[in-house]
Amino acid sequence: MTWNYRVLEFVDPDSLEPWRAIHEVFYDENGKPNGYGEHPAGVVWDTEVGDGEPGRIIEMLAMALRFPVLVERDFQPPNTEVKPTREAGSA
């Protein structure tokens, strides 16, 4: 399994306003996203790995900004209907 950091867009269920965060995203053997970390990514490291580690993490986080933003439907199995976040005609 491979992974990288990606920007994910979510929709607040109350306000229906979109918001974004960087998460770890996991891919299947075909390179399709199939999951993501529950919590947004942070810069945390063990002191044993040295002070170069935060710079490496920050570079990987910055790379996430170069890729297209992922949304919930990007993680749906094929032929799965994605339900709209609000009903047609509602504002």
Side-chain angles (χ1 to χ4, degrees):
M1 177 186 330
T2 61
W3 71 275
N4 64 359
Y5 293 116
R6 295 289 296 268
V7 176
L8 301 183
E9 183 170 290
F10 301 92
V11 176
D12 181 278
D14 296 323
S15 68
L16 300 178
E17 292 293 322
W19 60 278
R20 294 176 175 178
I22 296 175
H23 286 255
E24 292 178 342
V25 172
F26 307 98
Y27 299 87
D28 66 17
E29 60 277 353
N30 297 315
K32 300 271 188 199
N34 66 355
Y36 57 88
E38 180 179 359
H39 301 287
V43 181
V44 180
W45 69 98
D46 293 326
T47 56
E48 295 173 357
V49 297
D51 291 334
E53 187 66 6
R56 188 182 75 76
I57 295 169
I58 290 169
E59 286 176 11
M60 291 174 65
L61 291 168
M63 284 183 61
L65 301 173
R66 297 182 189 138
F67 294 108
V69 174
L70 298 174
V71 295
E72 187 176 3
R73 70 180 165 271
D74 293 320
F75 298 91
Q76 300 293 324
N79 302 319
T80 300
E81 181 180 341
V82 177
K83 296 187 169 127
T85 56
R86 57 175 117 174
E87 293 181 21
S90 66

